[in-house]
Every structure is written in structure tokens, then in C-alpha cells.
Amino acid sequence: MLDIESEASEELMRFTRQTVAEAMKSGIDPLGNRAVSVIDGPVHRFAGVFERSPGVGFREWMAKQFEEAHDPGVDRYWRLVWIVNGRQVMPNLVPVCPWLVQALRNDGGV
């Protein structure tokens, strides 16, 4: 999936998971205007780490990355890699990925 150092990865994933889960719990439509402002935080944080502009192209790139991560087989693979390497298993993004991908592709505010 995303190739970033583990500390940055853990913080970004935690922030993204929390942000999206709160939006989902609040009933925000990933294709609505409110979703654009919800994902601005994660998009800008990821863009900063990757030293890229947070525009439409970057959002589409992120959407593709998260689509790949949504595959339960890929998720299981990474969990096993973390376990074998003695690393802490991070909570996954699988439950929030569909919402996140739709919101990233929502061009309402970009």
C-alpha cells in the first residue's frame, strides 16, 4: 500500500480512520459537499508526507491506494507481516475504505 515510514504511517492511518469513522457515524454522505471538508485534513497530511500537491490527481492516487488496501486478503497479508516482524498490529482501515474512496473521488470542492 502506501510506502511511508512506520511512525508517520501509524499517525496518518489513525487520524484518517478516526476522521472517516466520525463522519460515517454522523451520517455524512461521502458524495456530499460536507465530505469534501472532512477529507481535507487527511488529504493535506498525506500530501505533506509525500511532498505533493493535494489536488484532484493526488486524491485519485490516494483513492487507488485505499481501494487496494480494502481487499481483505491484502489486509490479512499486512497483519501477518506485522506479527511475524514483531510489530504492533495497527487497526485496519477496511471498515472506512469504501466511504473514504468515494469521498476522495467527490470533486465537489476541488
Side-chain angles (χ1 to χ4, degrees), residues 15 21 30 57 63 73 81-82 97 110:
F15 175 76
V81 167
W82 293 328
C97 275
V110 216

Side-chain angles (χ1 to χ4, degrees), residues 19 28 32-42 44 59 99 106 109:
T19 300
I28 295 174
N33 289 335
R34 289 178 59 202
V36 175
S37 62
V38 167
I39 62 161
D40 274 346
H44 283 85
R59 289 171 188 249
W99 191 100
N106 176 2

Side-chain angles (χ1 to χ4, degrees), residues 30-33 35-36 39 56 59 101-110:
L31 300 177
N33 289 335
V36 175
I39 62 161
V56 174
R59 289 171 188 249
V101 168
Q102 285 185 320
L104 286 166
R105 290 192 169 129
N106 176 2
D107 62 1
V110 216

